[in-house]
Amino acid sequence: MKNWRTILYHGSRLVLGALFCYAGVVKALDVVAFAGSVANYQLLPYQLNFLVAALLPYVELAAGLLLLLGRQVRPAVVLIAGMNGVFIVALLSVILRGLDIDCGCFRPGGEGHTSAQMALLRDVGIMLLALVTWLGVGRRND
Amino acid sequence: MSKQLKVKTLWRDLRRAFLIALLAAVVGLAVNSQLLWRVFSGQTLNTVPSAVDESVETILPLPVELAEVRELQASTTLFIDARSREAFAEGHLPGARSLPWGEEVAGVGVLQAEVPLETPLIVYCSGYDCTDSFELAERLIAAGYHQVRVFEGGFPEWRDAGLPVEGAQP
């Protein structure tokens, strides 16, 4: 009983960590393209799109790395859940406004079009992973 | 775990999460300081390598004459105005879309999301002494648009020919 819980916790922690590391690295490598993706959401003034594009990948990468390393897992999960909440709100606003854009979640520049609906579904999955990780670490001394 | 202790640890986690985010943001700022400086001081990003694959041979946009522009008015061709938003608001070619040079990174991204790549485009700005339209057209070709041409006479030639203009003309 305890065994599969441990496996579940480590599994979700590693998947979540790898996912956010990947997302962070891919976007950090092409900030200008990612700024274009952020601009597509039409939520921020011109210059702030660049600011978000410059900072967000590094926050994703930091949270992902901490999860992979198993250090400061709870704060990292809080951070990921917070970012994910922001993504969900942004995607909902895209769907409500009827914009047809690529979500810009991983690869900037819109190769491979991920619709807002698909991205939203994925983010709900990420939220569940974060919850599982949070509950798993709650029973341990971190 | 008592309730009080739970709330306490949650606050601690939130504080730490905030600190982690702050540190990561500082790293991001440091790494991208040059780019951000350019953006916030209002310089264009020409010197920044774009997301465009440079190995693809870029084709130069061809010029288009006023007479042909008039004919294309009724077709599916989309007119792109490379001038400032203010100039666009004052007056522009009927049905034209504003995409100011200087905001082209975000602008081309938005255009790509809304306008199919096979749409023929005609870019213009404020006449023969203005190179923004040509540069924007090159950027659009690099972004994957197949048919991009430049109306070199731009808005002044159109207006002076007595053709209809959209916007808040005095």
Side-chain angles (χ1 to χ4, degrees):
Chain A
M1 185 71 188
K2 205 170 175 183
N3 203 8
W4 71 258
R5 276 192 154 177
T6 311
I7 291 169
L8 189 68
Y9 159 68
H10 286 299
S12 62
R13 173 175 68 82
L14 293 171
V15 169
L16 206 55
L19 201 66
F20 271 73
C21 276
Y22 172 68
V25 168
V26 167
K27 289 189 289 219
L29 288 174
D30 200 342
V31 173
V32 176
F34 180 46
S37 297
V38 178
N40 287 342
Y41 282 75
Q42 297 175 37
L43 289 170
L44 299 169
Y46 177 69
Q47 288 160 332
L48 285 187
N49 293 322
F50 282 92
L51 192 64
V52 168
L55 305 188
L56 184 69
Y58 290 87
V59 181
E60 288 182 332
L61 185 60
L65 276 177
L66 287 171
L67 281 185
L68 284 182
L69 297 170
R71 306 267 166 198
Q72 300 291 335
V73 172
R74 283 168 59 120
V77 171
V78 169
L79 197 53
I80 280 181
M83 282 190 282
N84 208 31
V86 173
F87 300 159
I88 287 174
V89 171
L91 288 166
L92 277 175
S93 84
V94 164
I95 293 167
L96 286 174
R97 287 177 296 163
L99 299 176
D100 176 28
I101 63 168
D102 176 65
C103 76
C105 312
F106 295 99
R107 249 180 330 188
E111 307 160 40
H113 198 82
T114 309
S115 72
Q117 283 83 351
M118 273 306 297
L120 196 61
L121 209 63
R122 199 162 53 189
D123 280 352
V124 170
I126 290 173
M127 228 32 160
L128 285 174
L129 275 177
L131 188 69
V132 170
T133 313
W134 173 265
L135 292 175
V137 82
R139 296 174 300 100
R140 304 157 51 96
N141 290 325
D142 187 48
Chain B
M1 223 196 234
S2 74
K3 203 167 178 173
Q4 207 180 357
L5 196 64
K6 263 189 174 167
V7 172
K8 218 173 167 177
T9 50
L10 186 62
W11 272 118
R12 191 197 64 189
D13 290 338
L14 277 170
R15 271 202 310 274
R16 286 187 181 175
F18 180 75
L19 272 175
I20 294 164
L22 201 65
L23 281 172
V26 168
V27 173
L29 270 179
V31 174
N32 297 300
S33 55
Q34 272 187 315
L35 169 72
L36 289 170
W37 173 251
R38 262 198 221 101
V39 171
F40 280 86
S41 60
Q43 300 170 32
T44 55
L45 293 169
N46 293 342
T47 45
V48 178
S50 69
V52 172
D53 185 1
E54 299 293 350
S55 65
V56 179
E57 198 183 328
T58 48
I59 316 149
L60 293 178
L62 292 167
V64 54
E65 299 288 328
L66 177 68
E68 200 178 343
V69 173
R70 285 183 66 176
E71 282 177 13
L72 289 169
Q73 196 65 69
S75 69
T76 55
T77 305
L78 178 65
F79 290 85
I80 306 281
D81 191 319
R83 300 170 307 154
S84 68
R85 293 203 181 280
E86 293 81 352
F88 180 84
E90 274 176 26
H92 52 262
L93 271 61
R97 186 186 165 119
S98 178
L99 204 170
W101 180 252
E103 295 181 23
E104 74 283 355
V105 178
V108 171
V110 173
L111 194 74
Q112 274 178 305
E114 293 177 4
V115 177
L117 295 177
E118 50 275 7
T119 310
L121 305 175
I122 290 181
V123 191
Y124 70 89
C125 50
S126 51
Y128 287 103
D129 58 344
C130 162
T131 55
D132 292 354
S133 54
F134 191 83
E135 286 171 342
L136 180 60
E138 283 188 303
R139 188 59 71 93
L140 288 165
I141 288 172
Y145 283 94
H146 312 309
Q147 294 186 58
V148 185
R149 294 192 288 171
V150 174
F151 172 36
E152 289 177 318
F155 180 73
E157 190 181 5
W158 180 268
R159 181 198 54 210
D160 296 346
L163 293 162
V165 168
E166 256 177 25
Q169 277 284 297

